[in-house]
Amino acid sequence: MRTQILMAGLLAGTSLVAGTAAQAVEIEYWQYVYETRVTAMDQLIDAFEAANPDITVKQVTFPYADYQTRVVAANMARKGPDVLQMFYGWTDQFVGGKVIQPLSPEVFPHDEIEAEFFPIVTAMKRGDDYYGLPTAVRSLALFYNKDLMTKAGLDPENPPKTLDEMVAAAKAMTEMDAGGNLSTAGMTLDMGGQDHQWWREVLVRQFGGEPYSADYSQVTYNDAAGAAALKFYTDLQLVEKVGQRGFMDEGQAAFRAGRAGLTIDGTFRLGSFSSIEDFEWGVTELPANAEGVRSNYASYFANGIGIGAEGEELAAAEKFLAYISSPEAMKIWLDVVGELPARRDVALTEENLADPIYAPFLKGLDYAKTTLFIDEAAQRQNAIDMANRILIDGQSVEESLAQAAEAEQAIIDKAK
Amino acid sequence: MASMANQGAPERRPGIPGTPGGQPRGRGLSMRTRQLFWVWGFLALPVLFYGVIRFYPTLNAFWLSLTDWDLMSEPEFIGIDNYTRMFSDPEFWKVFRNTFTYLIVGTPISLVLSFLIAFALDRIRFGHTFLRALYFLPYITTASAMAWVWRWFYQPAPIGFINDLLGRVGIPQMAFLNSTTWALPSIMVTAIWAGLGFQIIIFMAGLRAIPTTYYEAARIDGLGEASILRRITLPLLKPTTVFLVVFSSIGFLRIFDQVYNMTTNDPGGPLGSTKPLVLMIYQTAFSSYEMGYAAAQTVVLFTILLCVSLLQLWLLRER
């Protein structure tokens, strides 16, 4: 008799569990480990689940170095995530490898996307389909050390606005020790950092060239303008002697340590620079050329929907993606992570535009370009090598540029 | 343990039917068969483990090297395309040269150094254990931690330790990791230093294993120290040397940790001047996701390792 009661109770219990399981949908969200990003996502998930009690979202994270491999491997095993974060530059690989699926235009109308997001969102479009939407975007700006500026007799409230002013300021802040070695760099030179983006999308354009054809399928920087841009960059070390590749190991490390006057870096560096206590720093728009031409490089991590999501999971994934791309989510992301909102009206508020730190990055977003990378790591390496051939091996600018253009074209062609 | 358990078995045999958990299957089998059964029972686990975790992937790599697998789509057979691409790629030959530079320069230097140190250490009594521990310490240190410390040593002024010292005595800076000429030797020094402790310990064990009576007889016969070294110590150390040459060669052919950690901003750089084969394989596989091409590079590395090991065993064989 007692066993019968127990059995009945157990049965009732399991059916209850089964009943709720049938109603609730669980979806998985994947991103890489970065403390503030994980915290922000936890907050977003809590808010989302409160509004959608029938959906649970499980956040799964991996170290950045393994992240892409994990996504690809899990996808091979048909255990991929329902919603995942991805660098915009991985889109070709992920679309080609059937990792992500196109966003349904009924749920995410194209005209709304294009009207409300910054134009760089089109880097997620292939053919007629969007494959993801960003929560936040990043751009570049020029960071400057106010203490070093004051020491060099410059006005720390009036940072360089043009390339010429930038070189002059860097020269004034450069210091050598008795042995003729650089002890304070006027400016950091770090192609492996953000300089390759600065050279490609900003300097080449400012010297009158175009880095790539409009669809980024042809390398077009191998001309006089590209050479002038590369010469300007390498001359910072070779002629102006305001910086040196490898100084303090990394550009951002030199700036952090107060050993560099100027450095070009992205929004994502704000978190790390905000803990600097030894000196005051500021940030300003990337310098214009003499004719006032400006450019910038913007990038972002987007959220896409995994190819495995179907039926009610797909519906839940779409709801979740819509929420994490909403103005509300972007505000949380800006507060917690410090990355700029991807929607114009959320980003370009009076409050943000008056913010001395966000404003230069936001202004940059207006005219920023987004390089459509085929293989970001390989293309970055190509730019590093291009500068090193000149700075270390003494190759001529023209030769190194031609070699780099040929090698990068080969990388692009191989992916076709 | 297996054999011990079996040794007692014949006496207990008549009692088996009453013993709980006794093995009825063992009845009627000869002792030898039962021993074999036990041996294989114990060996099954490692055999299975090696089969599934080591040998199957190794064999699979040979197959993958003939495909265009990119981790995302099903692998397709493309014949020897990966190999023709590899052998016509100047980048591959540069990496190939680098790998052999690590091997050909690194192995002899590390062996001569470790022998000299072991030989000297063997003769001193004062502070012997302390010194030995000091030499062994790098070997048990994490390679990446060590590489980062050396990376700091090699930095240009004002943070680099060595360049700072040079600067103080008025010697011009050395570019070390920022030079295409000096980066590879700089990394090699770190790798040699890291492996030294292990080689010293093995050499010292080898030296201790040589019977002292040989030395005494030689001294009575009036042989000089140099002759003793040449005619007694070195020939009798041959097994130790063979082991260390093979071990150290494989180590240098597989060098990765030091290079990767000392050049993370530009892995294998500057301009690929320090890149070894393993780093190239890693980048091809996990940065470009060209698994088929990476497998082809792995097959080449496997072949080199096999050849070098066989060649050394043959050269240093007992005549």
Side-chain angles (χ1 to χ4, degrees), chain A residues 314-376:
Chain A
L314 177 60
E318 283 172 341
K319 256 188 183 172
F320 185 61
L321 178 61
Y323 175 68
I324 56 179
S325 323
S326 68
E328 182 191 337
M330 289 180 187
K331 274 185 202 132
I332 295 181
W333 202 265
L334 176 69
D335 290 340
V336 180
V337 186
E339 283 188 324
L340 307 172
R343 286 173 184 269
R344 280 171 173 281
D345 57 339
V346 189
L348 301 173
T349 60
E350 267 177 44
E351 189 193 345
N352 288 342
L353 285 172
D355 187 300
I357 288 173
Y358 292 142
F361 292 103
L362 287 171
K363 284 182 200 154
L365 274 180
D366 246 3
Y367 47 76
K369 304 280 190 250
T370 294
T371 318
L372 290 185
F373 287 113
I374 298 295
D375 180 346
E376 203 252 354

Side-chain angles (χ1 to χ4, degrees), chain A residues 142-206:
Chain A
L142 180 70
F143 290 83
Y144 54 96
N145 182 322
K146 290 187 180 175
D147 291 16
L148 287 179
M149 285 186 76
T150 313
K151 204 174 142 198
L154 302 164
D155 175 10
E157 300 313 320
N158 190 15
K161 290 182 185 62
T162 64
L163 291 174
D164 291 341
E165 283 177 30
M166 182 190 80
V167 175
K171 253 186 183 163
M173 286 186 279
T174 305
E175 280 173 35
M176 301 278 182
D177 67 10
N181 305 314
L182 200 63
S183 61
T184 302
M187 170 152 196
T188 62
L189 294 184
D190 189 355
M191 257 312 185
Q194 297 303 313
D195 286 3
H196 71 107
Q197 319 278 22
W198 180 47
W199 181 79
R200 256 197 225 100
E201 292 293 0
V202 183
L203 286 180
V204 170
R205 292 177 197 281
Q206 289 181 324

Side-chain angles (χ1 to χ4, degrees), chain B residues 32-53:
Chain B
R32 194 177 147 65
T33 323
R34 291 183 51 183
Q35 268 182 349
L36 273 177
F37 178 77
W38 273 104
V39 168
W40 281 107
F42 279 103
L43 282 178
L45 200 64
V47 165
L48 197 74
F49 179 81
Y50 270 88
V52 175
I53 304 289

Side-chain angles (χ1 to χ4, degrees), chain A residues 157-349:
Chain A
E157 300 313 320
N158 190 15
K161 290 182 185 62
T162 64
L163 291 174
D164 291 341
E165 283 177 30
M166 182 190 80
V167 175
K171 253 186 183 163
M173 286 186 279
T174 305
E175 280 173 35
M176 301 278 182
D177 67 10
N181 305 314
L182 200 63
S183 61
T184 302
M187 170 152 196
T188 62
L189 294 184
D190 189 355
M191 257 312 185
Q194 297 303 313
D195 286 3
H196 71 107
Q197 319 278 22
W198 180 47
W199 181 79
R200 256 197 225 100
E201 292 293 0
V202 183
L203 286 180
V204 170
R205 292 177 197 281
Q206 289 181 324
F207 281 83
E210 286 281 335
Y212 303 93
S213 58
D215 62 352
Y216 283 86
S217 67
Q218 295 292 321
V219 175
T220 53
Y221 56 65
N222 185 21
D223 56 14
L230 185 55
K231 185 168 186 314
F232 172 82
Y233 182 78
T234 50
D235 275 358
L236 290 173
Q237 171 174 332
L238 299 175
V239 177
E240 310 288 352
K241 299 193 195 310
V242 296
Q244 186 187 307
R245 64 165 289 288
F247 177 71
M248 301 279 287
D249 205 35
E250 283 180 17
Q252 55 94 8
F255 187 81
R256 245 199 97 85
R259 293 275 193 172
L262 304 168
T263 190
I264 287 172
D265 220 319
T267 341
F268 38 84
R269 195 65 68 194
L270 289 172
S272 137
F273 284 174
S274 66
S275 60
I276 293 177
E277 285 176 357
D278 298 341
F279 60 89
E280 294 279 308
W281 56 270
V283 61
T284 184
E285 271 182 277
L286 289 185
N289 70 1
E291 288 80 41
V293 175
R294 287 181 192 270
S295 182
N296 204 311
Y297 165 75
S299 63
Y300 50 89
F301 276 82
N303 292 299
I305 295 183
I307 203 114
E310 287 171 342
E312 54 180 14
E313 281 180 6
L314 177 60
E318 283 172 341
K319 256 188 183 172
F320 185 61
L321 178 61
Y323 175 68
I324 56 179
S325 323
S326 68
E328 182 191 337
M330 289 180 187
K331 274 185 202 132
I332 295 181
W333 202 265
L334 176 69
D335 290 340
V336 180
V337 186
E339 283 188 324
L340 307 172
R343 286 173 184 269
R344 280 171 173 281
D345 57 339
V346 189
L348 301 173
T349 60

